[in-house]
Amino acid sequence: MADRTALLVLADGTVLRGRAFGASGERTGEVVFNTSMTGYQEIATDPSYAGQIVCMTYPHIGNYGVNTEDDEAPHPWIEGMVVRELSPVASNFRSNIDLQDWFEQHGVIGIEGVDTRKLTRRIRIDGAINGVLTTEDADVESLLDRARGIPSMDGMDLVSRVTCETPYGWNEPWPAPWVKHEQPDKRYRIVAMDFGVKRNILRSLVSHGLDPEVVPAGTSADDILAKSPDGVFLSNGPGDPAAVTYAVDTIRGLVGKVPVFG
């Protein structure tokens, strides 16, 4: 595949030029970093990263490919990924597809060959900043205008975008032999409010003796209490928690009537 140029332009005027991988097009979002040495597939599919472009600080990404078991959600939620070097080879017995093709299938834009340490230091010192990631536009001034026009994450409700549409049950524990847990004599039924829950959180709950039913973030306290749960779990999620005002009354209606944890 011929090299494609990609540009990442930040709202402060920073311009990073590199090679594109994954999908073509243009994406906007808050640019953040992640220091994990592995787990790029889990990061890409984590609903908590919805609306964000993620810079990976580990320099070599994609070497073990992507598999069908490690997704945290049915599809990636990130807007884009920034890496120092994309591995040209995906080598692992669990791999079904390489990162390039997986991103292309799901419409995620990647950029490689940039100074990720410089970008990480910029974010670490001054905080997350909005940016535009594109493979189509080379006009820096135009991209800078668009970057400065991206709405702030403050006050942004992204939970309504990632939450499930209908309730569903979950009974899958952590797979052996990766993790083994002594199963308790009694299991507890809980309701998990989906503000952007990850599959591994649900697996952890099951592995520790809980049987979760996942419900949309807008579910009322009365509807939850009607299920007679032993507890209610509040998941993590993307965006500004202060914007999820529709869940406040629900949580207030649960406190004192059923254990609430998260």
Side-chain angles (χ1 to χ4, degrees), residues 7 9-10 13 15 17 132 137-148:
L7 281 177
V9 177
L10 306 185
V15 179
R17 300 176 186 271
V132 178
D137 192 348
D139 185 342
V140 172
E141 291 303 319
S142 172
L143 293 169
L144 180 56
D145 286 342
R146 292 206 288 283
R148 289 173 174 169

Side-chain angles (χ1 to χ4, degrees), residues 34 70 72 74 92 95 97 103 107 116 136 147 196 209 233 241 251:
N34 186 289
D70 291 345
E72 295 288 4
N92 187 277
S95 176
I97 190 172
F103 271 6
T116 51
E136 298 179 336
F233 172 76
I251 297 170

